[in-house]
Amino acid sequence: MGNYELLLETYHRSLLLGKCKTKGDFARLLGITSTTLSRAFAKNEKYLTPVLVDKLQKMHDEMDVENLPAIAHADAHARELLKDDEHDDVEDYENENEDEENVNTLPLLPINAVAGFNGIDEAGVMLEECPQYAVPEFSDARAEFLIRVSGSSMYPKYSSGDILACRKIREITFIQWGKVYVIDSQQGAMVKRLFEVEGSDEYVMCKSDNANYPPFKLPRREIRSLSIVVGVIRME
């Protein structure tokens, strides 16, 4: 059975056994966003990830023993849909989520995944498996991902738990001094204001807003990635 066939049969089994009433419910059962599920239903293989397929297979197999005659009927119906060139069920779902598909969502990354923000990071975190959030204002600011602040070094500007919207800097030859950046370096990932080191092009000065954290010089060669902070969601 192919991945798409597995998705369709598992969804119909879940409907039949009352485990879900809508595809939104089904997405929550799988622990993914409705957008990810919508794209999987549209046969976008990128979103039928090994993690998702494994969840589907386990759910599919667990329902085998619950109601075999009804399950067989549901599976047959799902296979009939696959033979139908119009795929009405899939088209209906895509129409239901048309507005959602047109909204750009931002992945909430673990801070240690920032360095590899281009599909799969060094720790193996896939963007489509991260929580996704739609914030139109962040899209207008060309944000590409979100991270959650940990620690108090940037207090009172940012508190632990705040969510920062960030845009990756592809070329770090030009830095806006005084702006807040997410820096991934050999010393780890951190959120700091960057300043010029007078008389030296080999270092940048990293400063915290919290006076309890002293500034320090960071060699440019140790910077693996740099992302500018363009917005924040403040957590109370």
Side-chain angles (χ1 to χ4, degrees):
M1 183 188 304
N3 293 341
Y4 179 72
E5 289 85 349
L6 176 63
L7 170 67
L8 197 60
E9 282 196 9
T10 305
Y11 170 61
H12 278 268
R13 288 182 175 206
S14 299
L15 281 178
L16 188 65
L17 295 176
K19 294 183 177 295
C20 66
K21 295 182 179 179
T22 66
K23 292 186 176 74
D25 293 341
F26 188 53
R28 284 187 285 275
L29 281 176
L30 292 168
I32 61 176
T33 66
S34 294
T35 297
T36 295
L37 183 62
S38 177
R39 290 169 181 167
F41 263 99
K43 293 188 176 182
N44 189 330
E45 288 291 333
K46 175 182 175 182
Y47 292 90
L48 285 164
T49 65
V51 172
L52 176 56
V53 170
D54 184 59
K55 289 180 180 179
L56 288 168
Q57 190 65 62
K58 288 179 180 177
M59 189 181 297
H60 184 276
D61 294 345
E62 286 170 0
M63 290 186 288
D64 264 340
V65 297
E66 295 189 33
N67 192 332
L68 290 178
I71 285 294
H73 175 74
D75 292 352
H77 180 237
R79 294 187 188 106
E80 284 300 315
L81 288 175
L82 288 169
K83 295 176 184 177
D84 186 349
D85 289 338
E86 293 184 357
H87 295 291
D88 291 336
D89 185 67
V90 176
E91 287 185 356
D92 288 344
Y93 182 58
E94 291 173 348
N95 291 334
E96 290 170 7
N97 290 274
E98 183 176 357
D99 291 338
E100 184 177 12
E101 288 287 342
N102 292 329
V103 175
N104 291 326
T105 59
L106 302 175
L108 177 61
L109 300 181
I111 193 167
N112 59 0
V114 172
F117 169 73
N118 278 323
I120 304 178
D121 72 282
E122 295 175 353
V125 177
M126 299 189 70
L127 296 184
E128 59 266 25
E129 293 175 4
C130 294
Q132 303 281 328
Y133 296 90
V135 184
E137 290 79 6
F138 288 168
S139 297
D140 294 342
R142 295 184 293 125
E144 297 175 90
F145 65 91
L146 308 171
I147 64 163
R148 193 181 302 277
V149 175
S150 177
S152 59
S153 67
M154 293 304 292
Y155 183 83
K157 178 69 173 178
Y158 304 124
S159 299
S160 185
D162 288 354
I163 295 175
L164 305 182
C166 308
R167 182 173 69 247
K168 188 108 175 195
I169 305 299
R170 267 65 187 184
E171 297 290 337
I172 62 173
T173 52
F174 175 75
I175 298 174
Q176 299 181 57
W177 302 122
K179 296 288 187 179
V180 180
Y181 287 86
V182 177
I183 310 151
D184 186 83
S185 73
Q186 294 177 24
Q187 300 182 35
M190 51 193 160
V191 180
K192 301 293 178 189
R193 291 189 189 276
L194 293 184
F195 292 89
E196 185 178 14
V197 175
E198 188 173 351
S200 175
D201 292 330
E202 297 182 4
Y203 292 85
V204 295
M205 184 65 72
C206 300
K207 293 185 178 181
S208 303
D209 282 6
N210 188 334
N212 292 323
Y213 293 79
F216 59 93
K217 291 193 296 185
L218 178 68
R220 283 180 182 253
R221 67 178 180 274
E222 291 190 10
I223 299 176
R224 297 185 295 201
S225 77
L226 199 61
S227 303
I228 190 169
V229 176
V230 296
V232 61
I233 298 175
R234 171 56 54 86
M235 308 301 290
E236 296 294 342

